[in-house]
Short mmCIF file of all heavy atoms in Angstrom, two decimals:
data_model
loop_
_atom_site.label_atom_id
_atom_site.label_comp_id
_atom_site.label_asym_id
_atom_site.label_seq_id
_atom_site.Cartn_x
_atom_site.Cartn_y
_atom_site.Cartn_z
N THR S 280 11.90 34.64 -25.91
CA THR S 280 12.41 36.07 -26.12
C THR S 280 11.61 36.76 -27.21
O THR S 280 11.43 36.27 -28.31
CB THR S 280 13.91 35.98 -26.56
OG1 THR S 280 14.59 35.33 -25.51
CG2 THR S 280 14.45 37.46 -26.60
N PHE S 281 11.07 37.89 -26.78
CA PHE S 281 10.38 38.77 -27.71
C PHE S 281 11.14 40.10 -27.87
O PHE S 281 11.45 40.75 -26.97
CB PHE S 281 9.00 39.06 -27.19
CG PHE S 281 8.08 39.88 -28.10
CD1 PHE S 281 7.79 39.44 -29.33
CD2 PHE S 281 7.53 41.04 -27.57
CE1 PHE S 281 6.98 40.18 -30.16
CE2 PHE S 281 6.67 41.79 -28.34
CZ PHE S 281 6.49 41.33 -29.69
N ALA S 282 11.58 40.25 -29.09
CA ALA S 282 12.38 41.48 -29.54
C ALA S 282 11.55 42.60 -29.79
O ALA S 282 10.78 42.66 -30.82
CB ALA S 282 13.27 41.17 -30.64
N GLY S 319 15.16 46.55 -38.76
CA GLY S 319 16.17 45.75 -39.30
C GLY S 319 16.92 44.87 -38.24
O GLY S 319 17.21 43.69 -38.46
N ASP S 320 17.01 45.49 -37.08
CA ASP S 320 17.68 44.78 -35.97
C ASP S 320 16.79 43.57 -35.49
O ASP S 320 17.31 42.52 -35.28
CB ASP S 320 17.94 45.67 -34.85
CG ASP S 320 18.73 45.15 -33.71
OD1 ASP S 320 19.47 44.07 -33.94
OD2 ASP S 320 18.66 45.71 -32.60
N THR S 321 15.51 43.88 -35.35
CA THR S 321 14.62 42.77 -34.84
C THR S 321 14.48 41.64 -35.84
O THR S 321 14.39 40.50 -35.43
CB THR S 321 13.28 43.34 -34.31
OG1 THR S 321 12.66 43.96 -35.65
CG2 THR S 321 13.25 44.29 -33.27
N ILE S 322 14.43 42.00 -37.12
CA ILE S 322 14.31 40.96 -38.17
C ILE S 322 15.56 40.12 -38.10
O ILE S 322 15.48 38.81 -38.25
CB ILE S 322 14.08 41.62 -39.48
CG1 ILE S 322 12.72 42.15 -39.61
CG2 ILE S 322 14.35 40.58 -40.66
CD1 ILE S 322 12.55 43.12 -40.92
N ALA S 323 16.69 40.63 -37.93
CA ALA S 323 17.93 39.89 -37.85
C ALA S 323 17.92 39.02 -36.73
O ALA S 323 18.36 37.85 -36.76
CB ALA S 323 19.14 40.79 -37.82
N LYS S 324 17.43 39.46 -35.50
CA LYS S 324 17.46 38.63 -34.31
C LYS S 324 16.42 37.42 -34.49
O LYS S 324 16.78 36.31 -34.19
CB LYS S 324 16.88 39.52 -33.12
CG LYS S 324 17.94 40.44 -32.63
CD LYS S 324 17.37 41.30 -31.43
CE LYS S 324 18.36 42.26 -30.91
NZ LYS S 324 17.78 43.13 -29.79
N VAL S 325 15.22 37.59 -34.98
CA VAL S 325 14.30 36.66 -35.22
C VAL S 325 14.66 35.68 -36.24
O VAL S 325 14.60 34.44 -36.11
CB VAL S 325 12.92 37.23 -35.58
CG1 VAL S 325 11.93 36.06 -35.88
CG2 VAL S 325 12.42 38.02 -34.31
N ASP S 326 15.23 36.10 -37.37
CA ASP S 326 15.66 35.36 -38.51
C ASP S 326 16.80 34.35 -38.04
O ASP S 326 16.92 33.23 -38.58
CB ASP S 326 16.03 36.18 -39.70
CG ASP S 326 16.08 35.44 -40.90
OD1 ASP S 326 15.27 34.50 -41.15
OD2 ASP S 326 16.98 35.62 -41.75
N THR S 327 17.69 34.78 -37.18
CA THR S 327 18.77 33.98 -36.71
C THR S 327 18.56 33.20 -35.52
O THR S 327 19.50 32.59 -35.05
CB THR S 327 20.11 34.93 -36.62
OG1 THR S 327 19.73 35.92 -35.67
CG2 THR S 327 20.42 35.56 -37.94
N GLY S 328 17.42 33.34 -34.97
CA GLY S 328 17.13 32.47 -33.79
C GLY S 328 17.50 33.12 -32.44
O GLY S 328 17.42 32.45 -31.42
N ARG S 329 18.00 34.37 -32.49
CA ARG S 329 18.35 34.98 -31.19
C ARG S 329 17.07 35.50 -30.46
O ARG S 329 17.18 35.78 -29.32
CB ARG S 329 19.24 36.20 -31.50
CG ARG S 329 20.67 35.73 -31.90
CD ARG S 329 21.54 37.01 -32.26
NE ARG S 329 21.12 37.49 -33.56
CZ ARG S 329 21.37 38.83 -33.94
NH1 ARG S 329 21.89 39.64 -33.06
NH2 ARG S 329 21.11 39.20 -35.14
N ALA S 330 15.94 35.50 -31.18
CA ALA S 330 14.64 35.82 -30.58
C ALA S 330 13.57 34.94 -31.12
O ALA S 330 13.71 34.55 -32.33
CB ALA S 330 14.21 37.31 -30.79
N ASP S 331 12.66 34.59 -30.33
CA ASP S 331 11.56 33.70 -30.89
C ASP S 331 10.44 34.39 -31.73
O ASP S 331 9.90 33.87 -32.64
CB ASP S 331 10.85 32.87 -29.69
CG ASP S 331 11.83 32.10 -28.86
OD1 ASP S 331 12.21 30.96 -29.37
OD2 ASP S 331 12.19 32.51 -27.80
N ALA S 332 10.20 35.66 -31.37
CA ALA S 332 9.28 36.49 -32.19
C ALA S 332 9.82 37.92 -31.95
O ALA S 332 10.68 38.31 -31.05
CB ALA S 332 8.02 36.22 -31.70
N GLY S 333 9.17 38.86 -32.66
CA GLY S 333 9.59 40.30 -32.56
C GLY S 333 8.64 41.22 -33.20
O GLY S 333 7.75 40.79 -33.92
N LEU S 334 8.90 42.42 -33.01
CA LEU S 334 8.14 43.50 -33.59
C LEU S 334 9.01 44.12 -34.76
O LEU S 334 10.21 44.31 -34.71
CB LEU S 334 7.90 44.71 -32.57
CG LEU S 334 6.96 44.43 -31.49
CD1 LEU S 334 7.05 45.63 -30.52
CD2 LEU S 334 5.57 44.13 -31.91
N ALA S 335 8.29 44.33 -35.91
CA ALA S 335 8.93 44.88 -37.07
C ALA S 335 7.97 45.42 -37.93
O ALA S 335 6.78 45.19 -37.98
CB ALA S 335 9.65 43.89 -37.88
N LEU S 340 9.87 44.16 -43.39
CA LEU S 340 9.82 42.71 -43.41
C LEU S 340 9.60 42.32 -44.89
O LEU S 340 10.34 41.31 -45.31
CB LEU S 340 8.68 42.20 -42.58
CG LEU S 340 8.56 40.69 -42.40
CD1 LEU S 340 8.05 40.29 -40.99
CD2 LEU S 340 7.72 40.06 -43.54
N THR S 349 13.61 34.46 -43.57
CA THR S 349 12.54 33.45 -43.45
C THR S 349 11.36 34.01 -42.53
O THR S 349 10.43 33.29 -42.19
CB THR S 349 13.07 32.19 -42.83
OG1 THR S 349 13.43 32.46 -41.36
CG2 THR S 349 14.38 31.65 -43.50
N VAL S 350 11.39 35.20 -42.12
CA VAL S 350 10.39 35.76 -41.26
C VAL S 350 9.09 36.05 -42.01
O VAL S 350 9.01 36.34 -43.15
CB VAL S 350 10.92 37.08 -40.60
CG1 VAL S 350 12.07 36.76 -39.67
CG2 VAL S 350 11.34 38.07 -41.63
N LYS S 351 7.95 35.90 -41.25
CA LYS S 351 6.69 36.30 -41.69
C LYS S 351 5.93 37.10 -40.61
O LYS S 351 6.12 36.82 -39.51
CB LYS S 351 5.82 35.10 -42.07
CG LYS S 351 6.28 34.41 -43.34
CD LYS S 351 5.48 33.18 -43.75
CE LYS S 351 5.74 32.57 -44.99
NZ LYS S 351 4.78 31.46 -45.38
N MET S 468 6.15 39.38 -35.77
CA MET S 468 6.70 38.28 -36.75
C MET S 468 7.39 37.22 -36.05
O MET S 468 7.73 37.23 -34.84
CB MET S 468 7.58 39.09 -37.70
CG MET S 468 8.70 39.82 -36.82
SD MET S 468 10.28 40.06 -37.71
CE MET S 468 11.20 40.81 -36.36
N ALA S 469 7.58 36.14 -36.88
CA ALA S 469 8.35 34.96 -36.36
C ALA S 469 9.03 34.36 -37.56
O ALA S 469 8.69 34.67 -38.82
CB ALA S 469 7.31 34.00 -35.79
N SER S 470 9.98 33.53 -37.25
CA SER S 470 10.76 32.89 -38.33
C SER S 470 10.18 31.58 -38.73
O SER S 470 9.27 30.97 -38.11
CB SER S 470 12.22 32.59 -37.96
OG SER S 470 12.19 31.64 -36.91
N GLU S 471 10.50 31.09 -39.95
CA GLU S 471 9.93 29.73 -40.30
C GLU S 471 10.34 28.77 -39.32
O GLU S 471 9.56 27.74 -39.04
CB GLU S 471 10.63 29.38 -41.75
CG GLU S 471 10.07 30.28 -42.93
CD GLU S 471 8.75 29.88 -43.46
OE1 GLU S 471 8.09 28.93 -42.77
OE2 GLU S 471 8.30 30.47 -44.43
N LYS S 472 11.43 28.81 -38.71
CA LYS S 472 11.97 27.76 -37.81
C LYS S 472 11.08 27.81 -36.52
O LYS S 472 10.66 26.81 -36.10
CB LYS S 472 13.40 28.07 -37.39
CG LYS S 472 14.01 26.89 -36.56
CD LYS S 472 15.51 27.14 -36.21
CE LYS S 472 16.18 25.90 -35.66
NZ LYS S 472 15.39 25.19 -34.59
N THR S 473 10.81 28.99 -36.02
CA THR S 473 9.91 29.06 -34.84
C THR S 473 8.44 28.54 -35.16
O THR S 473 7.84 27.82 -34.38
CB THR S 473 9.82 30.44 -34.37
OG1 THR S 473 11.10 30.99 -33.99
CG2 THR S 473 8.95 30.64 -33.24
#
Side-chain angles (χ1 to χ4, degrees):
T280 299
F281 184 54
D320 189 20
T321 57
I322 288 171
K324 288 178 179 178
V325 173
D326 195 41
T327 57
R329 287 176 285 155
D331 298 288
L334 292 172
L340 185 151
T349 68
V350 293
K351 285 186 177 182
M468 56 157 179
S470 67
E471 292 282 6
K472 189 175 190 315
T473 299

